Amino acid sequence: MQFVMDVICAHSYLGYTRFARAADLLRAEGVQVTVEFLPFELAPGAPADGQPLLAVLEQTFDPQAAAGALVFAERAAREGLQFEYGKAIATGTFDAHRLIADAAHQDKAEPMAERLFRAHFTDGLHIGDPATLARLAAEVGVTTGHVPSREVRARLDGVRRLGITGVPVFLIENLPPLTGSQTETTLLAALRQAAITKGEHRDH
């Protein structure tokens, strides 16, 4: 399956967490679940110097946007996620997507994506900063520089050509796209159905 996401998108983080739990259940049953991360920029062209996220939300949208983020944080906490919006830093995510692409070549895209989500939402780290990204890559055991920038730009263009204008989106084989964070139950059922369909196709 393919997961269209941005690492500064709260719904992408929640959706990925639910997907990971569903995938773990299936993998424990011996079902193969693979995921390809497709990049999406919530704020294309955003400066990489980093600004306090809540202030950016208020400036870009309105004061209610910041309040809404804090309500979402309470909801996420019930699922074990810690959203520290007071520390979060708004930034561009192009280089973070490039790091996930590098990690994919080393079969480490899932732990790399999870670490970037957590770095942004929980640790208050500036994930547009090259030094921060290098430190996170080393932490996960990922070497960088494998994927050129032009390849990431091509993937971003490809996602736009699919008509995707918001994230997250789950593209699961032979099923209609699932948009939004989705429930773990829905994702588990969809992944299970995809595995069954793939098995039937192999049998024929």
Side-chain angles (χ1 to χ4, degrees):
M1 77 153 240
Q2 295 173 311
F3 181 48
V4 191
M5 47 72 83
D6 196 358
V7 285
I8 57 167
C9 169
H11 291 277
S12 290
Y13 188 15
L14 183 58
Y16 175 68
T17 300
R18 290 170 174 172
F19 157 78
R21 289 171 181 163
D24 284 347
L25 287 170
L26 285 176
R27 286 165 178 161
E29 296 173 11
V31 177
Q32 186 182 17
V33 180
T34 57
V35 57
E36 177 189 2
F37 293 89
L38 297 184
F40 184 91
E41 289 179 300
L42 276 185
D49 56 353
Q51 303 284 331
L53 178 60
L54 289 180
V56 170
L57 287 176
E58 289 189 1
Q59 290 162 13
T60 307
F61 302 103
D62 55 42
Q64 289 306 112
L70 297 176
V71 170
F72 186 86
E74 289 178 16
R75 197 171 108 206
R78 293 197 287 272
E79 302 202 29
L81 295 180
Q82 187 180 348
F83 280 58
E84 297 287 353
Y85 277 112
K87 294 193 298 186
I89 297 168
T91 184
T93 53
F94 184 88
D95 288 332
H97 285 302
R98 188 178 176 188
L99 177 52
I100 292 171
D102 274 333
H105 283 273
Q106 298 156 68
D107 293 323
K108 293 180 178 175
E110 290 180 64
M112 194 71 257
E114 189 281 330
R115 187 64 191 98
L116 286 163
F117 277 129
R118 186 158 39 90
H120 175 68
F121 285 104
T122 304
D123 301 335
L125 297 178
H126 179 191
I127 61 169
D129 173 58
T132 300
L133 290 174
R135 197 166 72 247
L136 293 171
E139 192 180 309
V140 178
V142 169
T143 58
T144 58
H146 305 280
V147 177
S149 293
R150 67 177 180 277
E151 189 174 317
V152 179
R153 277 192 282 273
R155 290 182 186 182
L156 286 163
D157 288 343
V159 167
R160 278 193 289 272
R161 282 198 298 274
L162 290 173
I164 292 171
T165 57
V167 285
V169 181
F170 298 87
L171 302 172
I172 301 174
E173 292 85 349
N174 304 308
L175 295 172
L178 295 172
T179 58
S181 40
Q182 298 296 323
T183 66
E184 186 179 327
T185 304
T186 298
L187 291 169
L188 182 61
L191 291 169
R192 197 183 294 282
Q193 178 61 40
I196 290 168
T197 305
K198 194 181 290 184
E200 288 173 348
H201 285 173
R202 245 196 324 267
D203 292 342
H204 291 100

